[in-house]
Amino acid sequence: MRHAADATAPHVPVLIVPLIAAAAPIQGTWIDGTFGAGGYSKYLLGAGADQVIGIDRDPSVFTMAESWAGAFGDRLRLVQDTFSNLDQVTEQADGVVLDIGVSSMQIDQADRGFSFQKDGPLDMRMGDSGTTAAELVNTATAEQIADILYNYGEERASRRIAKMIVARREEAPFERTLELAGVVERCLPRSKPGQSHPATRSFQALRIAVNREYDQLVEGLSAAERVLRPGGVLAVVTFHSVEDRIVKRFFQARSGTQAGSRYAPLVEDVPAQFSMYSRKALKASPEEVEVNPRSRSAKLRIGRRTDAPAMPVDAKSLGAPQLPYRRPE
């Protein structure tokens, strides 16, 4: 999960210190594909980037940035779009940073519909277009809903929950977050102290489906490969195992370090598109975790672009969860 600054403290992005050190020298044009509260953009500009192009699908983040963005003049350019299209904002870039996940400032806003603990419209869109979570649960079949909950949320009670959702919507369509959370709660045992809310997995799965998060990540990695000039840096911060697996396998496939096994032969040798900063992901220092405990789960993977041509990318080979049908648009 990406975290926004609170109202009184400056926003220090997760793992920014090792990112700046590993990517040095910071120069030229960088793309901050997940602008959010603008933390990475500020640090990159402060570290020497000539220009940062901040991309976010959520228009509200640019409104919040109005109080400080103007101080950077033409060095900061803001674009409302998804980071899967980042190669369309400039011909070449010297660096791309992606901070994967939903922002806490989005979850904290009840009217965005992400929270199962705050009542609000059942929306869940990170941007201002596309299918809402309400439209999804009110129109998809029980089988489709179950597949989303299981594949995107690893919810073992997915079929039971899906059947209850369909039965409930026959009485009245879902409109509010707490309506859906209540149905999920009734399908599962009461959570014990210290356990996550019963609706956590279901809400996560629907959010991922609504925003096409896994597709966006795969497409964004591919777009970064296309836009980076030789020597350019791709830095990706993840907070959950599925996203990290996708990023790890992407870099393995692109750096010639993808291992074979007795079940799968070694991949054919091809020129590497990236050289890796380190084989293992970088993690937050004890000092950073102490200041920001939520950074404990963060992982940073960094690769530097070679001059090898960009290659097509296959989501399935990267371990991105796949639905057995096309998600309703």
Side-chain angles (χ1 to χ4, degrees), residues 147-191:
D147 285 336
I148 289 173
L149 301 186
Y150 182 79
N151 287 282
Y152 289 169
E154 298 180 325
E155 176 53 72
R156 288 177 292 181
S158 59
R159 296 192 182 280
R160 186 188 321 146
I161 295 171
K163 289 179 180 179
M164 283 286 288
I165 287 174
V166 171
R168 159 61 173 74
R169 79 187 189 197
E170 290 179 355
E171 302 172 7
F174 286 94
E175 296 180 353
R176 312 288 294 181
T177 53
L178 293 189
E179 293 172 353
L180 180 60
V183 169
V184 177
E185 282 187 272
R186 290 194 292 274
C187 293
L188 299 171
R190 184 184 299 273
S191 58

Side-chain angles (χ1 to χ4, degrees), residues 229-250:
R229 68 177 81 248
V233 172
L234 172 57
V236 188
V237 177
T238 59
F239 291 86
H240 298 289
S241 59
V242 175
E243 287 91 342
D244 180 61
R245 180 179 69 207
I246 294 171
V247 176
K248 178 181 179 180
R249 291 188 180 181
F250 173 82

Side-chain angles (χ1 to χ4, degrees), residues 105-170:
M105 66 183 177
Q106 292 174 324
I107 290 180
D108 291 341
Q109 296 170 349
D111 61 351
R112 301 301 298 272
F114 291 104
S115 177
F116 42 75
Q117 296 177 312
K118 298 178 180 180
D119 191 40
L122 187 56
D123 194 318
M124 295 194 189
R125 294 174 299 172
M126 292 181 181
D128 56 0
S129 63
T131 302
T132 67
E135 291 168 336
L136 182 57
V137 298
N138 286 325
T139 59
T141 66
E143 183 178 8
Q144 290 171 337
I145 294 172
D147 285 336
I148 289 173
L149 301 186
Y150 182 79
N151 287 282
Y152 289 169
E154 298 180 325
E155 176 53 72
R156 288 177 292 181
S158 59
R159 296 192 182 280
R160 186 188 321 146
I161 295 171
K163 289 179 180 179
M164 283 286 288
I165 287 174
V166 171
R168 159 61 173 74
R169 79 187 189 197
E170 290 179 355

Side-chain angles (χ1 to χ4, degrees), residues 204-221:
Q204 169 191 303
L206 290 170
R207 187 202 79 220
I208 290 171
V210 164
N211 296 287
R212 297 181 58 249
E213 290 182 35
Y214 294 141
D215 293 337
Q216 287 288 317
L217 176 54
V218 172
E219 294 167 12
L221 294 171

Side-chain angles (χ1 to χ4, degrees), residues 274-301:
F274 287 91
S275 60
M276 299 306 299
Y277 176 77
S278 65
R279 187 174 65 86
K280 293 186 177 181
L282 303 180
K283 298 183 179 181
S285 66
E287 293 77 16
E288 180 172 358
V289 172
E290 184 177 359
V291 174
N292 179 10
R294 293 173 294 188
S295 67
R296 183 179 289 107
S297 61
K299 292 183 178 181
L300 168 64
R301 297 187 185 272

